Amino acid sequence: MTLQERFIAAFVESDRWKLYISGLGITLEIALFAGIIGIIIGTLLALMKLSTTEEGKPTLPNYIATIYIDVIRGTPSVLQLLIMWFIIMASSNNGILVASLSFGINSGAYVAEIVRGGILAVDKGQMEAGRSLGLSKWATMRYIILPQAVKNVIPPLGNEFITLIKETAIVGYVSLTDLTRVANQIASRTYDAFMPLIGVAVIYFVIIKLLTIFLGKLERRMRRSDIR
Amino acid sequence: MISVKNLCKEFKNTDGSVTKVLKGINYEINKGEKIVIVGPSGSGKSTFLRCLNLMERPTSGHIIFDDVDITDPKVNINKVRERMGMVFQHFNLFNNLTVMQNLTLAPVKLGIMSETEAKEKAKGLLERVNLLDKADVYPISLSGGQKQRIAIVRSLCMNPEVILFDEPTSALDPEMVGEVLDVMKQLADEGMTMVVVTHEMGFAKEVATKVLFVDEGQILEENTPEEFFGNPQSKRLQEFLSKVL
C-alpha cells in the first residue's frame, strides 16, 4: 500500500474522519466539564486550606482539604476513573458525566494548590487594609483578594487544563470513544496503526498549540492593567 | 476613649524561641488627642499601634475602647474596626479597584451608606485633598503621595472616631511627605483623634498633644511636645533625639 492509500483508508474511507471529529468532541467535552468542576472544587479547597481562626490556628475545613488533596494526588487518575465508573457511580451509564466528575475531582486537587499560591501571592497589605475598614475576612477575600489572585493563576491554570486534555486519553478504559480510542478502533479495522495514531497525535498537538496561543494572549491582556 | 492595660505581645520565632515585642504597656488615649509615637526601629511602636485595632492580637493585656474590652473574643472586631480607621506605611489601596471604588467599597458593603451617599461623601473628601480628578483611575497610576492621601480619605469615608497612622510618610519620596502631612494637620485641626507612629519630628512638635517614646517594648517617656523635645528626661531619649534631630 502506498502512503496515500493508507491515508485514505485511515481518514477518508467509510467517512472515518467523522469518527475522529466525534472522538475529539468527546475529549473536549470531558476536558471542559472537568475543567469547570476542577476550578470550582479547587477554589473551594484553596479557601478551606487557607482558613484559620482569628488566632491563626488551622480549622476543621483546613484539615478536610488537606486530606482530600493528599488522597487525590496520592492515587493514579486511571484508578480514580475506574473506581468512579465501577463502584461509586456504577448505576450510571452516562460515561461522559462519570468521566467529567472523576477528572474534575482529580483536577480540583491540583487547582487547589494553584489557587492557594495565587492568593498567597497577593500582597498581605490588601487583606490588612480590608480588615482595617471593618470588612470580614470573607468579604475582603471576595472583593479584593480573589479578583487579584485570578491574574496570578491564569498561566498555571492554563497549564493544568492542557494536562487535563491529554489525561482524558484514558477514558477508553470506561468504554468512551474519545479521540485516542477512535485511533485504536480504526487501527484495528484497517490493520494499520501508523496513520490513525500519528493523525490523532497531530490533532492533540494542534488543539493544545491553539490553546497555548490563546492563553498567551489572555495573559498579556491581563498584564496590561499592571502598566501605567 | 482607648485605654491600654498591661499590653504584652510576643512573637514565636521559627527556632521556637520567643521575642517579647511589647512588655506591659499601659496608656490612656482621650477623645480629640493627637498621640505621636516615636522610637528606634524594632522598638515595638508599630506593633503597639497595630494592637489597638487588633491587627495584631495581644498575647496578654486589654484594649478598652469606649468601655468595651475589644480583646474579648466575643466582641465582633469588624464592628469595632468600622469606628477605627487605619493608614498604612505602604498605602495598601485596593489594586483591583478604582479610587472611587476604593473609597466606597467598605461603607456600601457594610451597609453604613447607600451607594449614592458614599459617592457623594467620597467626592467631597477627594475635593478637599485636591484629587477629585483621580476618582476613576486605578491606584497603579498614582504617585506615592497621592496614594497616601487617598488612603487617608478611604479611612475617613467610614466616619471613624479615631485614625491610627502606621508610619504614613516612611515609604514616600521626600518631596511628597509634605502633602500627606498637610492633610494630617488639617484632620488634627478639625479635632480628629489620632495616633501616629512616625519619624517626622517636625509633625510631632507641631501637631501632637502628647509624644510617646517607645523603646524595647515599653513607653519610656511621655510628655507634651515642648517638654519632650526641650527637656528629655531619660538618657535613651536624649541619645535618640540627638540622632534624629
Side-chain angles (χ1 to χ4, degrees):
Chain A
M1 274 208 296
T2 67
L3 219 51
Q4 196 185 354
E5 280 166 346
R6 288 164 71 184
F7 183 85
I8 289 171
F11 296 104
V12 184
E13 233 169 60
S14 341
D15 280 346
R16 292 211 167 104
W17 56 274
K18 284 183 179 166
L19 294 176
Y20 294 95
I21 290 180
S22 93
L24 177 63
I26 288 185
T27 293
L28 292 181
E29 202 177 333
I30 295 170
L32 187 68
F33 286 142
I36 293 168
I37 296 168
I39 288 174
I40 296 169
I41 293 181
T43 307
L44 282 176
L45 287 173
L47 293 176
M48 286 163 75
K49 268 209 96 162
L50 288 169
S51 80
T52 51
T53 61
E54 288 284 345
E55 288 83 24
K57 296 199 177 68
T59 58
L60 180 68
N62 191 325
Y63 289 115
I64 295 172
T66 305
I67 292 169
Y68 179 106
I69 293 170
D70 280 354
V71 169
I72 294 297
R73 287 206 297 198
T75 50
S77 52
V78 189
L79 205 57
Q80 291 164 13
L81 180 66
L82 291 173
I83 290 172
M84 193 60 110
W85 179 244
F86 287 112
I87 303 171
I88 300 175
M89 296 188 68
S91 57
S92 167
N93 44 23
N94 184 344
I96 291 186
L97 175 76
V98 174
S100 302
L101 263 177
S102 178
F103 283 112
I105 287 169
N106 179 278
S107 182
Y110 295 90
V111 172
E113 294 295 309
I114 293 172
V115 173
R116 193 170 72 98
I119 289 172
L120 288 176
V122 175
D123 178 28
K124 200 166 114 262
Q126 299 282 303
M127 176 57 89
E128 288 194 344
R131 296 308 306 276
S132 80
L133 290 163
L135 292 167
S136 69
K137 199 167 165 183
W138 294 115
T140 312
M141 200 49 117
R142 155 91 179 70
Y143 299 113
I144 308 299
I145 311 294
L146 285 180
Q148 294 184 55
V150 167
K151 209 182 291 183
N152 300 333
V153 301
I154 291 289
L157 218 48
N159 200 26
E160 167 63 20
F161 188 58
I162 285 170
T163 308
L164 191 56
I165 292 178
K166 291 178 292 176
E167 227 170 48
T168 59
I170 56 171
V171 293
Y173 273 97
V174 297
S175 54
L176 281 172
T177 317
D178 74 315
L179 192 55
T180 303
R181 192 136 192 260
V182 165
N184 249 325
Q185 286 179 344
I186 290 175
S188 62
R189 216 159 302 159
T190 59
Y191 305 109
D192 179 16
F194 179 81
M195 278 294 169
L197 288 182
I198 298 298
V200 159
V202 169
I203 296 173
Y204 274 113
F205 176 80
V206 169
I207 294 288
I208 284 162
K209 187 70 202 171
L210 289 175
L211 192 61
T212 309
I213 293 169
F214 168 75
L215 285 167
K217 285 217 168 101
L218 187 65
E219 207 186 315
R220 271 193 297 280
R221 175 174 306 173
M222 300 203 86
R223 292 250 172 277
R224 215 173 289 162
S225 65
D226 290 344
I227 304 164
R228 286 174 183 232
Chain B
M1 182 180 209
I2 305 176
S3 51
V4 179
K5 290 192 175 142
N6 206 13
L7 175 66
C8 293
K9 176 68 185 177
E10 296 171 353
F11 286 108
K12 277 209 183 72
N13 301 317
T14 41
D15 62 1
S17 65
V18 169
T19 307
K20 289 188 176 171
V21 185
L22 299 179
K23 300 167 185 165
I25 289 189
N26 290 291
Y27 198 69
E28 187 86 26
I29 299 165
N30 296 312
K31 197 164 170 53
E33 274 195 301
K34 294 102 188 57
I35 309 293
V36 173
I37 305 170
V38 301
S41 56
S43 59
K45 55 192 191 303
S46 273
T47 307
F48 172 44
L49 187 81
R50 290 164 56 83
C51 279
L52 295 180
N53 66 348
L54 260 55
M55 292 312 273
E56 302 287 350
R57 284 233 156 223
T59 311
S60 66
H62 301 276
I63 315 277
I64 319 285
F65 179 48
D66 277 354
D67 298 327
V68 177
D69 183 355
I70 64 171
T71 55
D72 182 342
K74 286 196 278 291
V75 169
N76 181 354
I77 189 60
N78 295 330
K79 279 280 165 218
V80 176
R81 285 177 182 151
E82 289 179 11
R83 299 156 57 204
M84 281 182 160
M86 188 166 214
V87 174
F88 300 87
Q89 183 178 359
H90 295 288
F91 332 125
N92 298 349
L93 292 181
F94 304 132
N95 297 323
N96 58 322
L97 303 179
T98 64
V99 167
M100 183 53 83
Q101 291 166 333
N102 260 277
L103 304 184
T104 57
L105 178 81
V108 173
K109 294 294 171 200
L110 294 169
I112 294 168
M113 294 173 205
S114 72
E115 179 108 32
T116 351
E117 281 172 329
K119 274 193 178 149
E120 277 311 304
K121 174 148 184 91
K123 271 187 198 157
L125 289 166
L126 281 177
E127 195 149 31
R128 268 187 45 187
V129 297
N130 291 322
L131 288 171
L132 190 54
D133 55 323
K134 300 292 184 189
D136 296 315
V137 307
Y138 285 88
I140 189 102
S141 62
L142 301 170
S143 74
Q146 292 171 333
K147 282 183 191 171
Q148 195 61 301
R149 282 184 284 158
I150 286 171
I152 295 172
V153 167
R154 179 174 64 180
S155 70
L156 286 175
C157 278
M158 293 291 292
N159 290 324
E161 291 159 39
V162 48
I163 304 185
L164 314 175
F165 293 84
D166 188 4
E167 302 200 24
T169 57
S170 299
L172 294 175
D173 290 336
E175 77 267 25
M176 293 172 182
V177 171
E179 62 192 64
V180 171
L181 291 180
D182 284 345
V183 173
M184 291 169 63
K185 281 173 201 162
Q186 256 186 54
L187 272 182
D189 290 342
E190 286 160 21
M192 175 63 75
T193 312
M194 297 163 72
V195 186
V196 186
V197 170
T198 187
H199 296 289
E200 293 293 327
M201 298 303 152
F203 178 82
K205 278 182 192 165
E206 197 178 330
V207 178
T209 50
K210 282 280 169 59
V211 187
L212 308 190
F213 178 60
V214 173
D215 191 29
E216 291 180 1
Q218 280 167 326
I219 299 178
L220 278 197
E221 204 159 328
E222 181 246 302
N223 225 323
T224 59
E226 296 76 33
E227 282 295 304
F228 187 91
F229 292 104
N231 188 16
Q233 301 297 310
S234 67
K235 189 122 183 34
R236 279 294 293 130
L237 178 56
Q238 287 163 9
E239 275 172 25
F240 177 75
L241 289 178
S242 73
K243 279 179 206 153
V244 296
L245 288 178

